[in-house]
Amino acid sequence: MIQASELILNPDGSVYHLNLRPEHIAHDIIFVGDQNRVEKITQFFDSIEYSTQKREFKTQTGTYKGKRITVMSTGIGPDNIDIVLNELDALVNIDLETRLPKKELTSLNIIRIGTSGSLQSDIPVDSFLMSKFGLGLDNMLRSYLVDEVSEDALEDAFIIHTNWDIRKGKPYAIPCSEVLEKIIESDKIFKGITATAGGFYGPQGRVLRLNIQDVELNNKMDNFNFNENRITNLEMETAAIYGLSALLGHNALSLNAIIANRASGTFSEDPYKAVDELISYTLNKLAVK
């Protein structure tokens, strides 16, 4: 039995951080980072059956064209993803009454919709990007047995290419769900490797008043190529989502509306339109799944 100190429940029986009970979530879930983006997706729904929020974790479950879908904000960073994925898994794969794992396990379909800047000149603003791999530069997932699901060859190639300082922890590489990739992909979606950093400033090469360990890291990432997969963007969640989902038996895919291109120095003239188009595209793909 899982002890109360390990799986914390609220007085109403909901999981501690997400404030959710099993009946509150669908098996198709969309992640966003910002809590204010939840309603930017559910505004397209035909109906909303449940809403809740605790801290940065806002959840709404409803129906879009007959498909029951949950939209949830995760907040920023791999540490928040650790909370969200583990508590979602507990909702479907642990009996919260007996505190025992269920014999029949459920696989959730999790799609992250975000915005990002492209690192590559040929991926223009207002385009859609699918993360074929998540490349984790954080250490969160190393608390788990991530080698069971990671891509050793990609990790090793990245370490050699960047002369990675192993004192920062070994990077990990996780592929996206092939199931969701086939459902969502189209000719207009670019694919690549999404690097996931453990912070926003130094870990992503930003220098304010503090010097950073490797001032050339971003340039090294720009020209990294593994089996024709380039690093296309840099953010703070995708690799953690892919890793925990793979370990727990869920399907995960990360999508981004590209609103900036760092290589060309351009920014979308209407980033809200690009995001709405990606939301609409994703919802329609899920509705016919």
Side-chain angles (χ1 to χ4, degrees):
M1 184 176 72
I2 301 170
Q3 298 299 312
S5 60
E6 309 307 294
L7 176 58
I8 305 169
L9 302 180
N10 296 311
D12 65 354
S14 62
V15 289
Y16 182 66
H17 295 91
L18 301 185
N19 208 34
L20 296 168
R21 295 196 301 268
E23 65 269 22
H24 294 152
I25 64 167
H27 288 175
D28 292 285
I29 300 175
I30 293 174
F31 281 176
V32 293
D34 184 352
Q35 58 198 7
N36 293 322
R37 283 187 184 166
V38 171
E39 290 179 349
K40 289 188 177 295
I41 296 179
T42 59
Q43 68 177 327
F44 295 98
F45 282 17
D46 304 316
S47 61
I48 296 173
E49 67 184 67
Y50 184 77
S51 298
T52 192
Q53 181 168 359
K54 185 176 180 182
R55 303 182 187 182
E56 63 266 53
F57 307 113
K58 181 174 182 176
T59 303
Q60 291 191 329
T61 296
T63 302
Y64 177 81
K65 294 184 177 179
K67 169 71 73 171
R68 190 168 183 253
I69 299 172
T70 292
V71 183
M72 174 182 297
S73 61
T74 64
I76 299 173
D79 50 345
N80 273 24
I81 297 303
D82 182 56
I83 290 171
V84 172
L85 256 299
N86 276 290
E87 292 194 5
L88 279 177
D89 181 75
L91 289 172
V92 294
N93 289 323
I94 296 174
D95 186 320
L96 300 184
E97 297 288 336
T98 65
R99 293 181 168 274
L100 294 172
K102 296 178 180 179
K103 292 182 180 179
E104 296 291 330
L105 300 180
T106 296
S107 291
L108 299 171
N109 295 315
I110 298 166
I111 297 180
R112 178 182 185 273
I113 295 179
T115 57
S116 189
S118 170
L119 303 181
Q120 305 295 338
S121 60
D122 61 331
I123 301 179
V125 296
D126 301 326
S127 62
F128 299 163
L129 177 68
M130 176 186 293
S131 303
K132 181 75 174 176
F133 294 92
L135 177 64
L137 309 182
D138 62 289
N139 286 319
M140 186 278 290
L141 211 64
R142 288 290 173 193
S143 295
Y144 301 95
L145 302 177
V146 64
D147 290 337
E148 296 177 1
V149 295
S150 61
E151 299 281 336
D152 291 343
L154 197 164
E155 294 167 4
D156 293 342
F158 179 79
I159 289 169
I160 293 170
H161 178 80
T162 60
N163 192 27
W164 183 262
D165 187 340
I166 207 66
R167 292 176 298 177
K168 295 191 293 185
K170 184 182 179 185
Y172 59 91
I174 314 289
C176 70
S177 161
E178 293 182 1
V179 172
L180 292 180
E181 180 183 6
K182 290 177 181 177
I183 292 170
I184 300 297
E185 70 180 348
S186 78
D187 292 341
K188 69 176 185 177
I189 297 182
F190 292 87
K191 296 182 182 181
I193 301 169
T194 293
T196 296
F200 182 77
Y201 289 96
Q204 293 190 36
R206 293 181 173 92
V207 177
L208 302 183
R209 290 204 314 116
L210 295 176
N211 292 327
I212 58 176
Q213 182 269 328
D214 186 352
V215 296
E216 293 298 323
L217 180 58
N218 282 15
N219 290 331
K220 296 173 187 175
M221 290 197 293
D222 288 351
N223 56 43
F224 176 70
N225 191 304
F226 179 79
N227 293 341
E228 300 184 359
N229 290 292
R230 301 169 298 168
I231 296 178
T232 49
N233 61 321
L234 179 61
E235 45 84 274
M236 293 179 64
E237 290 84 30
T238 293
I241 294 170
Y242 282 12
L244 284 174
S245 294
L247 288 169
L248 291 166
H250 305 298
N251 298 308
L253 187 69
S254 183
L255 303 172
N256 275 278
I258 297 300
I259 61 172
N261 186 293
R262 194 182 78 184
S264 63
T266 55
F267 191 83
S268 173
E269 294 182 0
D270 191 350
Y272 300 108
K273 180 174 182 287
V275 173
D276 283 349
E277 288 179 350
L278 178 57
I279 290 169
S280 179
Y281 175 86
T282 305
L283 286 174
N284 285 321
K285 286 287 189 177
L286 283 177
V288 299
K289 177 175 71 70

